[in-house]
Amino acid sequence: MVEFEPAIKAITTNEVDFVIVGGVAISVHSTGYITRDLDFCYRRTTENLKKIVAAFAPFNPRLRGFPEDLPFVWDERTLQNGTNFTLVTTIGDIDMLGEVAGVGDYEAVRRESVSTSLYNCEVRVLTLDGLINAKRAAGRTKDLLVLPELEALKELLTETDEE
Amino acid sequence: MTEKLSEERLEKIRRLITNPRPGSKVAAALEFGIDLTLTLGQLRKTPQERLESQQSAMRGLEELARAGAEMRKRNNGRV
């Protein structure tokens, strides 16, 4: 389980360029979907990687699913050598994605996002359309199961749009 | 939509859920077994309140998992 408030505050106070995707984005859009981790897509510039390292360093990030005694260095170089990272930290499980299937790289994900406020922090989350495309592209049973609710929610919001 | 909705709009959504248009995505979701009244309940909240509900649900699930592990231990692995 991830503690949302410290995770989101750590990323935003360090001014990381990121977009919340996955289950937390689905939850923010109002579904009953339950997730155990925080997934976000991040810009892969050197400056942003430094900010991410600073943001999560206090929470002792390690690779999830690997032995605890396996050496792992949480630094900018490690992040440069990969794209997607599934981490376990002292505040829970956090997944970092360099791109999102069905949407694209960070710039595409950023374009397909909207802003909202969480814990007094301005954050961006993937749109309902983006989530629907991502879930379709992922194509696993667990992703497809959430599609009917996302599509119904999209229809409800579109048909009652007051603008 | 990540903001809290007006009462008027929530009422329109409630009507669409209780009287779904045949062939609509809402009808398909209900047919699939999704309880859209839970979705409506989430729409009544702010984004942060939605996330706090999620956090609370996660804590509940962890407690259930802990209780399940304890039950298996107490019953020598019998399930």
Side-chain angles (χ1 to χ4, degrees):
Chain A
M1 181 182 82
V2 66
E3 296 291 337
F4 296 128
E5 186 170 0
I8 288 168
K9 284 187 170 169
I11 313 175
T12 53
T13 54
N14 282 277
E15 299 179 341
V16 172
D17 289 331
F18 75 106
V19 175
I20 296 175
V21 301
V24 172
I26 290 174
S27 184
V28 167
H29 279 289
S30 294
T31 79
Y33 185 84
I34 303 291
T35 186
R36 298 174 71 87
D37 57 9
L38 171 66
D39 301 343
F40 68 90
C41 182
Y42 65 102
R43 179 176 272 141
R44 286 190 51 76
T45 58
T46 303
E47 187 188 7
N48 204 42
L49 298 184
K50 283 181 186 167
K51 291 176 181 176
I52 292 170
V53 168
F56 290 118
F59 307 121
N60 190 28
R62 306 186 56 76
L63 291 175
R64 197 158 70 237
F66 287 85
E68 281 192 20
D69 56 357
L70 185 77
F72 178 71
V73 180
W74 176 248
D75 64 6
E76 179 195 330
R77 194 169 162 193
T78 296
L79 295 186
Q80 278 173 337
N81 288 332
T83 305
N84 299 335
F85 296 88
T86 54
L87 304 170
V88 58
T89 74
T90 54
I91 54 169
D93 297 332
I94 294 171
D95 293 357
M96 295 172 42
L97 309 171
E99 58 185 33
V100 176
V103 183
D105 62 8
Y106 175 79
E107 300 306 329
V109 171
R110 179 83 167 62
R111 283 193 297 276
E112 192 59 53
S113 69
V114 288
S115 69
T116 191
S117 177
L118 295 172
Y119 308 108
N120 293 319
C121 303
E122 283 303 306
V123 300
R124 298 197 71 85
V125 299
L126 194 58
T127 62
L128 269 178
D129 280 333
L131 287 166
I132 290 168
N133 290 337
K135 290 296 175 189
R136 271 207 197 107
R140 298 166 299 185
T141 302
K142 70 172 216 167
D143 298 300
L144 300 177
L145 284 174
V146 77
L147 271 177
E149 186 178 10
L150 288 177
E151 289 173 337
L153 179 59
K154 175 78 196 311
E155 186 178 83
L156 288 168
L157 293 173
T158 304
E159 292 192 7
T160 59
D161 194 350
E162 290 156 340
E163 290 175 6
Chain B
M1 171 56 64
T2 59
E3 302 309 317
K4 196 172 182 176
L5 305 186
S6 68
E7 285 302 318
E8 187 184 353
R9 193 171 181 191
L10 287 167
E11 177 55 24
K12 286 181 189 171
I13 289 173
R14 190 192 65 77
R15 275 187 255 130
L16 286 169
I17 291 171
T18 51
N19 296 295
R21 197 178 66 252
S24 65
K25 298 287 188 189
V26 170
L30 292 168
E31 179 68 21
F32 191 71
I34 307 289
D35 185 348
L36 290 175
T37 60
L38 296 176
T39 311
L40 177 63
Q42 290 297 99
L43 283 169
R44 294 187 187 281
K45 300 173 184 169
T46 65
Q48 182 170 323
E49 287 169 343
R50 292 168 198 161
L51 210 48
E52 285 168 350
S53 295
Q54 160 91 260
Q55 188 88 78
S56 173
M58 286 161 66
R59 290 208 171 96
L61 288 175
E62 293 230 328
E63 176 59 19
L64 291 174
R66 188 206 57 74
E70 168 72 21
M71 178 184 70
R72 284 187 291 278
K73 190 175 169 188
R74 193 180 294 178
N75 293 284
N76 298 318
R78 186 174 175 218
V79 290

